[in-house]
Amino acid sequence: MGVIAILFGLGLFLVLLWNFAVYALPAYIGFSAGWWALNHGAGIGCIAVGAIAGVAVFLAGRVALASRNGFLRWLVIAVFVIPAAWAGYAMVLDLSASGMVPSSVWRHILAAAGAVAVGATTMAQLVQVPEWEKSS
């Protein structure tokens, strides 16, 4: 029973890492704003500052993606995909360095594949047709 619980927990952890990588930009902005607020005396309020900043970036991206301007949509997609791909690269590189892959070359090859996978997943989620376009 313990092995099943460990595998379930590991799977849940990897799903959380994947979602964090996909939403890397709002998460990074939220953590950075919260850390800045903590270092400037906000105390426990730093959690609210970080949450508001992260949600604001996420909602600003969603609003920009809902516009009919194609250039703005692709610009926002690029702004979200580049940090997500970088986070995917770093995530796979760190996980493979934990003893699973001894070769440095193969770790970087796997990390590049992880970056492509996370970047493609992020792009696929952002390129989806908004609801208001489906009804037209």
Side-chain angles (χ1 to χ4, degrees):
M1 189 67 178
V3 173
I4 293 172
I6 288 172
L7 290 176
F8 178 74
L10 181 62
L12 184 63
F13 176 70
L14 291 175
V15 168
L16 288 173
L17 273 177
W18 184 268
N19 285 329
F20 179 76
V22 169
Y23 298 109
L25 181 67
Y28 177 75
I29 297 294
F31 283 133
S32 296
W35 191 253
W36 176 86
L38 180 66
N39 287 329
H40 286 84
I44 196 74
C46 69
I47 296 171
V49 170
I52 290 170
V55 168
V57 169
F58 178 76
L59 291 178
R62 284 292 176 193
V63 167
L65 285 172
S67 75
R68 294 183 189 263
N69 185 350
F71 176 75
L72 179 64
R73 286 181 59 140
W74 283 106
L75 181 66
V76 170
I77 288 170
V79 166
F80 273 75
V81 166
I82 291 169
W86 182 260
Y89 180 87
M91 179 177 61
V92 173
L93 186 65
D94 288 344
L95 287 175
S96 66
S98 66
M100 294 186 297
V101 181
S103 170
S104 175
V105 173
W106 279 107
R107 282 199 306 262
H108 286 284
I109 290 172
L110 288 173
V116 169
V118 172
T121 301
T122 303
M123 183 175 285
Q125 288 184 358
L126 295 175
V127 176
Q128 291 176 356
V129 179
E131 290 297 322
W132 56 268
E133 283 187 5
K134 290 180 184 177
S135 62
S136 312

